[in-house]
Short mmCIF file of all heavy atoms in Angstrom, two decimals:
data_model
loop_
_atom_site.label_atom_id
_atom_site.label_comp_id
_atom_site.label_asym_id
_atom_site.label_seq_id
_atom_site.Cartn_x
_atom_site.Cartn_y
_atom_site.Cartn_z
N ASP A 1 83.76 84.15 91.09
CA ASP A 1 84.21 83.25 92.16
C ASP A 1 85.72 83.35 92.35
O ASP A 1 86.22 83.38 93.49
CB ASP A 1 83.82 81.81 91.85
CG ASP A 1 82.33 81.56 92.00
OD1 ASP A 1 81.68 82.36 92.69
OD2 ASP A 1 81.84 80.58 91.41
N ARG A 2 86.45 83.42 91.25
CA ARG A 2 87.91 83.54 91.34
C ARG A 2 88.30 84.90 91.95
O ARG A 2 89.25 84.98 92.74
CB ARG A 2 88.54 83.40 89.95
CG ARG A 2 88.18 82.14 89.17
CD ARG A 2 88.89 80.90 89.73
NE ARG A 2 88.26 80.35 90.93
CZ ARG A 2 87.12 79.65 90.92
NH1 ARG A 2 86.49 79.40 89.79
NH2 ARG A 2 86.60 79.18 92.03
N GLU A 3 87.58 85.95 91.57
CA GLU A 3 87.86 87.28 92.11
C GLU A 3 87.60 87.34 93.61
O GLU A 3 88.36 87.97 94.36
CB GLU A 3 87.01 88.33 91.39
CG GLU A 3 87.41 88.55 89.93
CD GLU A 3 86.42 89.45 89.19
OE1 GLU A 3 85.56 90.04 89.86
OE2 GLU A 3 86.49 89.53 87.96
N MET A 4 86.52 86.69 94.06
CA MET A 4 86.22 86.67 95.49
C MET A 4 87.34 86.00 96.28
O MET A 4 87.75 86.48 97.34
CB MET A 4 84.90 85.94 95.74
CG MET A 4 83.66 86.67 95.27
SD MET A 4 82.17 85.70 95.64
CE MET A 4 80.92 86.65 94.78
N GLU A 5 87.82 84.86 95.75
CA GLU A 5 88.89 84.14 96.44
C GLU A 5 90.16 84.98 96.53
O GLU A 5 90.88 84.93 97.53
CB GLU A 5 89.19 82.83 95.71
CG GLU A 5 88.05 81.81 95.77
CD GLU A 5 88.35 80.59 94.94
OE1 GLU A 5 89.47 80.52 94.37
OE2 GLU A 5 87.48 79.69 94.86
N ARG A 6 90.41 85.77 95.48
CA ARG A 6 91.64 86.56 95.43
C ARG A 6 91.51 87.91 96.15
O ARG A 6 92.37 88.27 96.96
CB ARG A 6 92.03 86.79 93.97
CG ARG A 6 93.33 87.58 93.80
CD ARG A 6 93.57 87.92 92.34
NE ARG A 6 92.61 88.91 91.85
CZ ARG A 6 91.78 88.69 90.84
NH1 ARG A 6 91.76 87.52 90.21
NH2 ARG A 6 90.92 89.64 90.46
N ASP A 7 90.42 88.63 95.87
CA ASP A 7 90.32 90.02 96.33
C ASP A 7 89.66 90.18 97.70
O ASP A 7 89.83 91.22 98.34
CB ASP A 7 89.53 90.85 95.30
CG ASP A 7 90.20 90.87 93.94
OD1 ASP A 7 91.44 90.72 93.90
OD2 ASP A 7 89.51 91.03 92.92
N LEU A 8 88.90 89.18 98.13
CA LEU A 8 88.24 89.28 99.43
C LEU A 8 88.88 88.37 100.46
O LEU A 8 88.24 87.99 101.44
CB LEU A 8 86.75 88.94 99.28
CG LEU A 8 85.94 89.83 98.33
CD1 LEU A 8 84.48 89.40 98.32
CD2 LEU A 8 86.05 91.30 98.72
N LEU A 9 90.14 88.05 100.24
CA LEU A 9 90.84 87.12 101.13
C LEU A 9 90.90 87.65 102.56
O LEU A 9 90.73 86.89 103.53
CB LEU A 9 92.26 86.88 100.61
CG LEU A 9 93.11 85.85 101.37
CD1 LEU A 9 92.44 84.47 101.28
CD2 LEU A 9 94.53 85.80 100.82
N ARG A 10 91.08 88.97 102.72
CA ARG A 10 91.24 89.56 104.06
C ARG A 10 89.91 89.78 104.77
O ARG A 10 89.89 90.10 105.95
CB ARG A 10 92.02 90.87 103.96
CG ARG A 10 93.44 90.68 103.41
CD ARG A 10 94.20 91.97 103.43
NE ARG A 10 94.42 92.49 104.78
CZ ARG A 10 95.06 93.61 105.05
NH1 ARG A 10 95.56 94.34 104.07
NH2 ARG A 10 95.21 94.01 106.30
N VAL A 11 88.81 89.65 104.04
CA VAL A 11 87.49 89.83 104.68
C VAL A 11 86.61 88.62 104.39
O VAL A 11 85.41 88.76 104.11
CB VAL A 11 86.81 91.14 104.21
CG1 VAL A 11 87.48 92.36 104.79
CG2 VAL A 11 86.76 91.21 102.69
N GLN A 12 87.21 87.44 104.48
CA GLN A 12 86.43 86.22 104.26
C GLN A 12 85.31 86.07 105.28
O GLN A 12 84.35 85.34 105.05
CB GLN A 12 87.35 85.00 104.33
CG GLN A 12 88.32 84.87 103.16
CD GLN A 12 89.20 83.64 103.27
OE1 GLN A 12 89.45 83.15 104.37
NE2 GLN A 12 89.68 83.14 102.14
N TRP A 13 85.44 86.77 106.40
CA TRP A 13 84.44 86.69 107.46
C TRP A 13 83.17 87.49 107.15
O TRP A 13 82.18 87.39 107.87
CB TRP A 13 85.05 87.20 108.77
CG TRP A 13 85.93 88.40 108.62
CD1 TRP A 13 87.29 88.41 108.51
CD2 TRP A 13 85.51 89.77 108.56
NE1 TRP A 13 87.76 89.70 108.39
CE2 TRP A 13 86.68 90.56 108.42
CE3 TRP A 13 84.29 90.42 108.62
CZ2 TRP A 13 86.65 91.95 108.34
CZ3 TRP A 13 84.24 91.80 108.54
CH2 TRP A 13 85.41 92.55 108.41
N ALA A 14 83.18 88.32 106.11
CA ALA A 14 82.03 89.17 105.79
C ALA A 14 80.96 88.36 105.05
O ALA A 14 81.26 87.69 104.06
CB ALA A 14 82.46 90.36 104.94
N PRO A 15 79.70 88.40 105.49
CA PRO A 15 78.62 87.72 104.75
C PRO A 15 78.49 88.29 103.34
O PRO A 15 78.69 89.49 103.13
CB PRO A 15 77.37 88.02 105.58
CG PRO A 15 77.86 88.43 106.92
CD PRO A 15 79.19 89.08 106.70
N ARG A 16 78.15 87.43 102.38
CA ARG A 16 77.98 87.88 100.99
C ARG A 16 76.56 87.57 100.53
O ARG A 16 76.02 86.51 100.82
CB ARG A 16 78.99 87.18 100.08
CG ARG A 16 80.45 87.41 100.50
CD ARG A 16 81.41 86.53 99.71
NE ARG A 16 82.73 86.52 100.30
CZ ARG A 16 83.72 85.72 99.90
NH1 ARG A 16 83.51 84.87 98.91
NH2 ARG A 16 84.89 85.78 100.49
N VAL A 17 76.01 88.51 99.81
CA VAL A 17 74.64 88.36 99.30
C VAL A 17 74.64 88.70 97.82
O VAL A 17 75.18 89.75 97.42
CB VAL A 17 73.66 89.28 100.04
CG1 VAL A 17 72.25 89.11 99.49
CG2 VAL A 17 73.68 89.01 101.54
N ASN A 18 74.07 87.84 97.01
CA ASN A 18 73.88 88.13 95.59
C ASN A 18 72.44 88.58 95.39
O ASN A 18 71.50 87.89 95.80
CB ASN A 18 74.15 86.88 94.74
CG ASN A 18 75.55 86.33 94.96
OD1 ASN A 18 76.48 87.07 95.21
ND2 ASN A 18 75.67 85.01 94.88
N LEU A 19 72.26 89.77 94.77
CA LEU A 19 70.91 90.31 94.64
C LEU A 19 70.79 91.18 93.40
O LEU A 19 71.78 91.47 92.72
CB LEU A 19 70.52 91.10 95.89
CG LEU A 19 71.46 92.23 96.34
CD1 LEU A 19 71.15 93.52 95.61
CD2 LEU A 19 71.36 92.47 97.84
N SER A 20 69.58 91.61 93.13
CA SER A 20 69.31 92.57 92.06
C SER A 20 68.32 93.59 92.59
O SER A 20 67.15 93.27 92.84
CB SER A 20 68.74 91.87 90.82
OG SER A 20 68.29 92.84 89.88
N ALA A 21 68.79 94.81 92.81
CA ALA A 21 67.90 95.86 93.29
C ALA A 21 66.84 96.21 92.25
O ALA A 21 65.73 96.60 92.59
CB ALA A 21 68.72 97.11 93.65
N LEU A 22 67.18 96.04 90.98
CA LEU A 22 66.24 96.39 89.90
C LEU A 22 65.04 95.44 89.88
O LEU A 22 63.89 95.87 89.78
CB LEU A 22 66.95 96.37 88.55
CG LEU A 22 66.12 96.78 87.33
CD1 LEU A 22 65.68 98.23 87.46
CD2 LEU A 22 66.93 96.58 86.05
N THR A 23 65.31 94.14 89.99
CA THR A 23 64.22 93.15 89.93
C THR A 23 63.78 92.68 91.32
O THR A 23 62.84 91.88 91.42
CB THR A 23 64.66 91.93 89.13
OG1 THR A 23 65.74 91.26 89.81
CG2 THR A 23 65.13 92.33 87.74
N ARG A 24 64.49 93.14 92.38
CA ARG A 24 64.22 92.78 93.77
C ARG A 24 64.54 91.32 94.06
O ARG A 24 64.13 90.78 95.09
CB ARG A 24 62.77 93.09 94.15
CG ARG A 24 62.37 94.53 93.90
CD ARG A 24 61.06 94.88 94.55
NE ARG A 24 60.75 96.28 94.33
CZ ARG A 24 59.82 96.96 94.99
NH1 ARG A 24 59.10 96.34 95.91
NH2 ARG A 24 59.59 98.23 94.73
N TRP A 25 65.29 90.68 93.19
CA TRP A 25 65.66 89.28 93.37
C TRP A 25 66.62 89.13 94.55
O TRP A 25 67.67 89.78 94.60
CB TRP A 25 66.31 88.76 92.08
CG TRP A 25 66.69 87.31 92.10
CD1 TRP A 25 65.88 86.24 91.93
CD2 TRP A 25 68.00 86.78 92.31
NE1 TRP A 25 66.59 85.07 92.01
CE2 TRP A 25 67.91 85.37 92.24
CE3 TRP A 25 69.26 87.36 92.54
CZ2 TRP A 25 69.01 84.54 92.40
CZ3 TRP A 25 70.36 86.53 92.71
CH2 TRP A 25 70.22 85.13 92.64
N HIS A 26 66.25 88.33 95.53
CA HIS A 26 67.05 87.99 96.71
C HIS A 26 67.37 89.20 97.59
O HIS A 26 68.28 89.11 98.43
CB HIS A 26 68.35 87.28 96.30
CG HIS A 26 68.14 85.84 95.97
ND1 HIS A 26 69.17 85.03 95.54
CD2 HIS A 26 67.03 85.05 95.98
CE1 HIS A 26 68.71 83.82 95.32
NE2 HIS A 26 67.40 83.80 95.57
N VAL A 27 66.65 90.31 97.45
CA VAL A 27 66.87 91.43 98.37
C VAL A 27 66.50 91.02 99.79
O VAL A 27 67.06 91.51 100.77
CB VAL A 27 66.05 92.66 97.91
CG1 VAL A 27 66.10 93.77 98.96
CG2 VAL A 27 66.58 93.19 96.58
N ASP A 28 65.54 90.08 99.92
CA ASP A 28 65.13 89.61 101.24
C ASP A 28 66.26 88.90 101.98
O ASP A 28 66.21 88.76 103.22
CB ASP A 28 63.91 88.68 101.12
CG ASP A 28 64.19 87.48 100.22
OD1 ASP A 28 64.93 87.63 99.24
OD2 ASP A 28 63.67 86.39 100.52
N ARG A 29 67.28 88.45 101.26
CA ARG A 29 68.42 87.78 101.92
C ARG A 29 69.35 88.77 102.62
O ARG A 29 70.25 88.35 103.35
CB ARG A 29 69.22 86.98 100.89
CG ARG A 29 68.45 85.80 100.30
CD ARG A 29 69.34 84.92 99.45
NE ARG A 29 68.61 83.75 98.95
CZ ARG A 29 69.15 82.80 98.22
NH1 ARG A 29 70.44 82.86 97.90
NH2 ARG A 29 68.43 81.77 97.80
N LEU A 30 69.12 90.04 102.40
CA LEU A 30 69.96 91.05 103.04
C LEU A 30 69.72 91.09 104.55
O LEU A 30 70.66 91.29 105.33
CB LEU A 30 69.67 92.42 102.42
CG LEU A 30 70.69 93.53 102.67
CD1 LEU A 30 72.07 93.12 102.17
CD2 LEU A 30 70.25 94.80 101.97
N LEU A 31 68.47 90.88 104.98
CA LEU A 31 68.14 90.97 106.40
C LEU A 31 68.88 89.92 107.24
O LEU A 31 69.51 90.29 108.26
CB LEU A 31 66.63 90.85 106.60
CG LEU A 31 66.14 90.89 108.05
CD1 LEU A 31 66.57 92.19 108.72
CD2 LEU A 31 64.62 90.73 108.10
N PRO A 32 68.89 88.62 106.88
CA PRO A 32 69.66 87.66 107.68
C PRO A 32 71.15 87.99 107.71
O PRO A 32 71.80 87.78 108.74
CB PRO A 32 69.40 86.32 106.97
CG PRO A 32 68.12 86.51 106.22
CD PRO A 32 68.11 87.94 105.81
N ALA A 33 71.68 88.51 106.61
CA ALA A 33 73.10 88.86 106.58
C ALA A 33 73.38 90.02 107.53
O ALA A 33 74.40 90.03 108.24
CB ALA A 33 73.52 89.22 105.16
N LEU A 34 72.49 91.02 107.57
CA LEU A 34 72.65 92.15 108.49
C LEU A 34 72.57 91.68 109.94
O LEU A 34 73.37 92.10 110.79
CB LEU A 34 71.58 93.21 108.23
CG LEU A 34 71.71 93.99 106.92
CD1 LEU A 34 70.47 94.86 106.70
CD2 LEU A 34 72.96 94.86 106.92
N ASP A 35 71.61 90.80 110.24
CA ASP A 35 71.47 90.28 111.60
C ASP A 35 72.72 89.52 112.03
O ASP A 35 73.20 89.66 113.16
CB ASP A 35 70.24 89.38 111.70
CG ASP A 35 68.94 90.16 111.77
OD1 ASP A 35 68.98 91.32 112.23
OD2 ASP A 35 67.90 89.61 111.36
N ALA A 36 73.26 88.69 111.12
CA ALA A 36 74.45 87.91 111.44
C ALA A 36 75.65 88.82 111.70
O ALA A 36 76.42 88.61 112.65
CB ALA A 36 74.77 86.93 110.31
N ALA A 37 75.81 89.86 110.86
CA ALA A 37 76.94 90.78 111.02
C ALA A 37 76.83 91.56 112.31
O ALA A 37 77.82 91.75 113.03
CB ALA A 37 77.01 91.72 109.82
N LEU A 38 75.63 92.02 112.67
CA LEU A 38 75.45 92.78 113.91
C LEU A 38 75.64 91.89 115.13
O LEU A 38 76.19 92.34 116.15
CB LEU A 38 74.07 93.42 113.92
CG LEU A 38 73.90 94.64 113.01
CD1 LEU A 38 72.44 95.01 112.87
CD2 LEU A 38 74.69 95.81 113.55
N ALA A 39 75.20 90.63 115.04
CA ALA A 39 75.40 89.70 116.15
C ALA A 39 76.89 89.48 116.39
O ALA A 39 77.37 89.47 117.54
CB ALA A 39 74.69 88.39 115.87
N GLY A 40 77.65 89.28 115.31
CA GLY A 40 79.10 89.12 115.45
C GLY A 40 79.75 90.38 115.99
O GLY A 40 80.68 90.31 116.80
N TRP A 41 79.28 91.53 115.55
CA TRP A 41 79.82 92.83 115.97
C TRP A 41 79.67 93.05 117.47
O TRP A 41 80.48 93.73 118.10
CB TRP A 41 79.09 93.92 115.19
CG TRP A 41 79.71 95.26 115.18
CD1 TRP A 41 80.96 95.62 114.76
CD2 TRP A 41 79.08 96.49 115.59
NE1 TRP A 41 81.14 96.98 114.86
CE2 TRP A 41 80.00 97.53 115.37
CE3 TRP A 41 77.81 96.79 116.09
CZ2 TRP A 41 79.70 98.86 115.64
CZ3 TRP A 41 77.51 98.12 116.37
CH2 TRP A 41 78.46 99.14 116.15
N GLN A 42 78.63 92.47 118.05
CA GLN A 42 78.34 92.68 119.47
C GLN A 42 78.66 91.45 120.33
O GLN A 42 78.27 91.40 121.49
CB GLN A 42 76.87 93.07 119.64
CG GLN A 42 76.53 94.40 118.98
CD GLN A 42 75.05 94.74 119.06
OE1 GLN A 42 74.20 93.89 118.81
NE2 GLN A 42 74.74 95.97 119.41
N THR A 43 79.38 90.49 119.77
CA THR A 43 79.71 89.27 120.53
C THR A 43 80.74 89.57 121.61
O THR A 43 81.73 90.28 121.39
CB THR A 43 80.27 88.19 119.58
OG1 THR A 43 79.24 87.81 118.66
CG2 THR A 43 80.74 86.98 120.36
N ARG A 44 80.50 89.04 122.80
CA ARG A 44 81.46 89.17 123.90
C ARG A 44 81.84 87.78 124.39
O ARG A 44 80.97 86.94 124.63
CB ARG A 44 80.88 89.99 125.06
CG ARG A 44 81.84 90.09 126.26
CD ARG A 44 81.30 91.00 127.33
NE ARG A 44 81.35 92.39 126.93
CZ ARG A 44 82.43 93.16 127.00
NH1 ARG A 44 83.59 92.65 127.43
NH2 ARG A 44 82.39 94.41 126.64
N VAL A 45 83.14 87.55 124.56
CA VAL A 45 83.66 86.28 125.05
C VAL A 45 84.00 86.43 126.52
O VAL A 45 84.78 87.34 126.88
CB VAL A 45 84.90 85.84 124.25
CG1 VAL A 45 85.42 84.51 124.78
CG2 VAL A 45 84.59 85.74 122.77
N PRO A 46 83.46 85.60 127.41
CA PRO A 46 83.82 85.68 128.83
C PRO A 46 85.33 85.53 129.03
O PRO A 46 86.00 84.78 128.31
CB PRO A 46 83.04 84.52 129.46
CG PRO A 46 81.92 84.24 128.51
CD PRO A 46 82.46 84.56 127.14
N THR A 47 85.86 86.24 130.02
CA THR A 47 87.31 86.23 130.24
C THR A 47 87.83 84.82 130.50
O THR A 47 88.90 84.43 130.01
CB THR A 47 87.66 87.15 131.43
OG1 THR A 47 87.21 88.48 131.13
CG2 THR A 47 89.17 87.17 131.65
N GLY A 48 87.08 84.03 131.26
CA GLY A 48 87.52 82.67 131.54
C GLY A 48 87.62 81.84 130.28
O GLY A 48 88.62 81.14 130.05
#
């Protein structure tokens, strides 16, 4: 937690997922994080 606060300060906007590929624990949480990141990537703000 301390490392995240210090080392990921410039990318606080990036979704974070804790998982285990070996045991498949919380791998299913990767999909909502991917959807959120892609939605943000394609967001357009009207000029007005």
Side-chain angles (χ1 to χ4, degrees):
D1 287 340
R2 306 286 79 75
E3 291 172 11
M4 290 181 188
E5 293 175 3
R6 182 187 69 240
D7 299 333
L8 300 182
L9 184 63
R10 298 185 64 180
V11 288
Q12 290 181 334
W13 40 264
R16 302 171 193 172
V17 180
N18 303 327
L19 54 85
S20 171
L22 183 63
T23 64
R24 305 192 177 194
W25 183 79
H26 281 178
V27 172
D28 58 325
R29 294 189 177 182
L30 197 58
L31 179 58
L34 290 172
D35 283 334
L38 285 168
W41 195 58
Q42 296 176 315
T43 296
R44 178 175 288 279
V45 180
T47 301

